[in-house]
DNA sequence: CGTTCAGTTGACCATGATCAAGAGTGGTGG
DNA sequence: CCACCACTCTTGATCATGGTCAACTGAACG
């Protein structure tokens, strides 16, 4: 069974056996474990490693002058933190563990060897970087334009599809460890309001969320509820859950 | 006098004379002009060129299923649209002209020649890409966490510093062509509320905005009003307007 | 000189924030 | 094994930021 990073990158391009072997090596060496709610990387630092998430959930977040924090993205298996390491001076945001987080440390040398010898992988890594930028744009739209109900529905759709693309879903169910506080911080709402809105979504049968497991009984209905259009994820294989009706409007 | 792209990239790295000559060529060939309020690139298309903005302002925006649009970034001289062209299948957002826009078309071949022969420039281009990703993150924070007043103040600070880094400011004044409608779309507010909030900022002497010109009488005060911390812009030369008080909190 | 778009103002309303308190849950150490 | 503590979830009451709707002014441009 291929690892999550390989699966992700194959959303974009066909990799050779040599590429795959290299990516497997990536995940094999110097694995380390971060306990829940601890930072993997902190704002203002210049970490020595590129981290590949093997297992667990994390969050990218920014801290404001007034002490509040905003989650700007979730981090799931197959995600890298952070390519910009070797280009930007210091981190402008933090990465925190939501669950226990297993990550592989990739050193500068290893990374450079890949960039030099594996053009396929290099391009695929930049693809991943650009997709995650596109996700940032969608989050701007999410918090700026959608109602509380739409924001949450949208977030559930996105995370489900992202997990599916790395093989971490079973049917329409997946792990979903963020607390209501995390959801609040990711959607720009308060935890109180997230709680009430979640109850609405549950009452309408759009999501089942209990014991950190998410089930989506009707993906198409949830996509409608969140004004969700998966194009921004740039998955090659998104035919499955794509709502064909999406393209009727305008 | 160097062009805007050269100035921008030199925020990041020292370029050689050969690099600079190459960048000048970049901007010299096949220049074309887009009238105000027309799209340079539309969502869903796969444009044939990489565009370098030479003159004027534009916006990156997404259109929602319900017809509303959200500006996710402004585009000013020295910005590129879009590096992802050669990697992603199709545009997931549009680029529209706010003013008349002069852009240089850069073909795939030209671009590849640069990537192959000018590693300095290539790295600097990725730096620019990563910085613009960081700006996306800050916009998420802006719309999710800040009040209307803070959002506008923050936006003015950001755009002023971005223009300054390409040499398009005089003292504390710069061009600022977005309409109040544009500002509304960029901040997730309504035009009515932008109008009222702007009046507050003006009344408090924080901004002077008339006839598409912006003046910031007290940069430090405006930064405070917007909870603005310029670190996310990753400018090397940001000592000037950086508020030293910023680092006292927390 | 009229049409269009940007800016402005007022009245009213709704979404979601704030504050506060309590219930359920899980992990820890005595 | 139980007691305690901390965190997550839940509910209620009240409030405020910013949205909506509508009308009007002013400026720009053909």
């Amino acid at each position: 069974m291929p690892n999550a990073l390989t699966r992700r990158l194959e959303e974009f391009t066909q990799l050779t056996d040599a590429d795959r072997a290299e990516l497997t090596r990536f995940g094999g060496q110097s694995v380390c474990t971060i306990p829940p709610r601890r930072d993997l990387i902190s704002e203002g630092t210049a970490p020595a490693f590129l981290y590949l998430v093997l297992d667990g959930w994390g969050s990218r977040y920014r801290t404001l002058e007034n002490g509040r924090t905003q989650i700007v993205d979730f981090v799931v298996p197959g995600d890298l933190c952070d390519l910009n390491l070797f280009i930007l001076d210091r981190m402008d945001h933090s990465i925190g563990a939501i669950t226990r987080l297993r990550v592989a440390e990739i050193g500068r040398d290893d990374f450079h060897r890949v960039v030099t010898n594996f053009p396929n992988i290099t391009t695929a890594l930049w693809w991943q970087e650009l997709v995650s930028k596109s996700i940032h744009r969608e989050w701007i739209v999410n918090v700026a334009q959608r109602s509380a109900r739409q924001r949450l529905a949208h977030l559930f759709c996105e995370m489900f599809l992202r997990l599916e693309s790395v093989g971490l879903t079973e049917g329409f169910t997946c792990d979903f460890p963020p607390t209501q506080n995390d959801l609040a911080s990711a959607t720009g709402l308060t935890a109180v309001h997230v709680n009430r809105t979640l109850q609405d979504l549950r009452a309408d049968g759009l999501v089942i969320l209990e014991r950190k497991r998410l089930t989506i009984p009707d993906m198409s209905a949830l996509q409608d509820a969140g004004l969700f259009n998966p194009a921004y994820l740039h998955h090659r294989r998104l035919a499955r859950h794509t709502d064909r009706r999406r393209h009727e409007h305008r």
Side-chain angles (χ1 to χ4, degrees), chain A:
Chain A
M1 160 176 145
N3 68 33
L5 179 59
T6 310
R7 277 197 71 143
R8 276 221 60 187
L9 298 187
E10 290 197 316
E11 281 287 352
F12 165 64
T13 189
Q14 206 58 43
L15 299 171
T16 66
D17 287 344
D19 291 336
R20 271 197 222 95
E22 183 63 21
L23 286 173
T24 308
R25 283 204 47 220
F26 245 39
Q29 61 207 34
S30 46
V31 171
C32 70
T33 302
I34 314 290
R37 302 297 156 184
R38 192 107 104 234
D39 273 0
L40 172 62
I41 310 178
S42 298
E43 194 169 332
T45 63
F49 295 102
L50 175 66
Y51 295 101
L52 166 61
V53 177
L54 301 174
D55 192 48
W57 279 54
S59 65
R60 283 174 199 278
Y61 67 93
R62 285 261 297 104
T63 306
L64 273 87
E65 274 64 17
N66 61 15
R68 298 173 58 151
T69 68
Q70 171 69 30
I71 293 178
V72 296
D73 198 2
F74 288 111
V75 169
V76 293
D79 285 337
L80 288 170
C81 324
D82 257 69
L83 231 52
N84 61 22
L85 205 173
F86 301 132
I87 296 191
L88 295 183
D89 40 353
R90 31 184 69 209
M91 290 289 290
D92 52 56
H93 64 282
S94 306
I95 315 252
I98 289 178
T99 63
R100 196 172 60 91
L101 207 54
R102 271 184 54 243
V103 300
E105 288 178 341
I106 299 166
R108 209 187 183 93
D109 295 344
D110 276 321
F111 181 72
H112 264 95
R113 188 166 41 78
V114 168
V115 169
T116 333
N117 302 323
F118 297 86
N120 264 345
I121 297 183
T122 307
T123 311
L125 289 178
W126 282 116
W127 165 81
Q128 197 189 30
E129 194 67 22
L130 294 172
V131 168
S132 101
K133 192 173 165 187
S134 173
I135 291 174
H136 280 346
R137 281 191 289 269
E138 192 67 24
W139 281 49
I140 296 174
V141 175
N142 206 34
V143 289
Q145 296 284 358
R146 289 188 251 258
S147 67
R149 182 186 168 89
Q150 291 169 338
R151 285 183 218 182
L152 284 170
H154 192 279
L155 184 62
F156 291 134
C157 291
E158 173 180 314
M159 294 316 300
F160 180 84
L161 291 186
R162 285 172 62 183
L163 289 173
E164 190 187 42
S165 84
V166 289
L168 291 177
T169 54
E170 302 103 51
F172 286 95
T173 301
C174 64
D175 281 342
F176 201 90
T179 65
Q180 293 184 5
N181 261 304
D182 294 329
L183 292 177
S185 173
T187 53
L189 301 166
T190 56
V192 171
H193 202 62
V194 164
N195 182 285
R196 293 196 237 260
T197 308
L198 263 180
Q199 289 178 48
D200 284 352
L201 289 173
R202 282 196 262 245
D204 295 345
L206 289 170
V207 297
I208 299 166
L209 180 58
E210 45 186 24
R211 323 204 113 261
K212 309 295 181 197
R213 298 278 293 173
L214 169 70
T215 300
I216 301 177
D218 181 346
M219 181 51 122
S220 171
L222 189 62
Q223 292 192 0
D224 286 348
L227 299 181
F228 181 87
N229 180 336
Y232 73 98
L233 292 173
H234 294 273
H235 288 178
R236 276 193 324 179
R237 308 170 286 192
L238 44 70
R240 279 156 307 184
H241 304 307
T242 312
D243 181 3
R244 326 95 251 159
R245 283 171 292 163
R246 290 250 83 74
H247 300 287
E248 282 173 17
H249 319 287
R250 298 190 41 103

